[in-house]
C-alpha cells in the first residue's frame, strides 16, 4: 500500500490510483507483463514506477527505465521503446514454443 501512497503523492489522488492499481493487478493475474518508464518523467518517479511494477507482479528483468525520456518515452526515444517491446514479445513467443 505504500506504493499507492507514493503514486498518489505523484499524481494527487490516492483513492483513484488505489482502485486503478487494484483493477490492473487483478486483470494482469497470470499474464506476463513489462513496464517501462522515462528516466526524466515529471509525473512519476522511477522509484514509483519500480514499486508499481513490483505490485503488479512484473518481473524485475521486464522493468525498463528509458534513459533521457520523459513521461512519453515512446515519443522521446521510439527506437529504444520498439527494441524493448520487440524483445518482450520475442520472449513470450519463445516461452510459448517451449511449452508446446
Amino acid at each position: 500500500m505504500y506504493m499507492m501512497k507514493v503514486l498518489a503523492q505523484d499524481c494527487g489522488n490516492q483513492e483513484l490510483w488505489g482502485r486503478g492499481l487494484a483493477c490492473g493487478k487483478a486483470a494482469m493475474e497470470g499474464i506476463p507483463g513489462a513496464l517501462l518508464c522515462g528516466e526524466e518523467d515529471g509525473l512519476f518517479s522511477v522509484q514509483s514506477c519500480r514499486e508499481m511494477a513490483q505490485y503488479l507482479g512484473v518481473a524485475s528483468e521486464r522493468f525498463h527505465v528509458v534513459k533521457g525520456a520523459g513521461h512519453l518515452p515512446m515519443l522521446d526515444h521510439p527506437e529504444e521503446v520498439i527494441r524493448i517491446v520487440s524483445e518482450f514479445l520475442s520472449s513470450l513467443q519463445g516461452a510459448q514454443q517451449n511449452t508446446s
Side-chain angles (χ1 to χ4, degrees):
M1 294 304 145
Y2 168 76
M3 183 268 315
M4 285 189 232
K5 290 179 184 176
V6 171
L7 286 173
Q9 289 171 352
D10 282 352
C11 82
N13 188 331
Q14 182 175 3
E15 182 182 346
L16 178 64
W17 276 102
R19 285 186 303 204
L21 286 174
C23 291
K25 183 175 183 175
M28 287 184 64
E29 193 70 38
I31 299 172
L35 193 144
L36 56 95
C37 68
E39 178 184 48
E40 305 297 326
D41 191 329
L43 294 175
F44 300 105
S45 68
V46 171
Q47 182 60 34
S48 294
C49 292
R50 188 178 318 280
E51 291 178 9
M52 183 179 357
Q54 290 171 346
Y55 176 79
L56 294 173
V58 173
S60 60
E61 66 272 10
R62 291 189 173 160
F63 174 75
H64 303 275
V65 177
V66 180
K67 296 193 184 312
H71 188 64
L72 300 171
M74 69 291 280
L75 297 180
D76 295 335
H77 295 286
E79 299 86 8
E80 179 67 6
V81 172
I82 289 169
R83 184 192 65 75
I84 292 168
V85 172
S86 295
E87 288 177 3
F88 171 68
L89 294 174
S90 292
S91 74
L92 295 180
Q93 186 176 25
Q96 185 179 26
Q97 289 174 354
N98 290 337
T99 60
S100 300

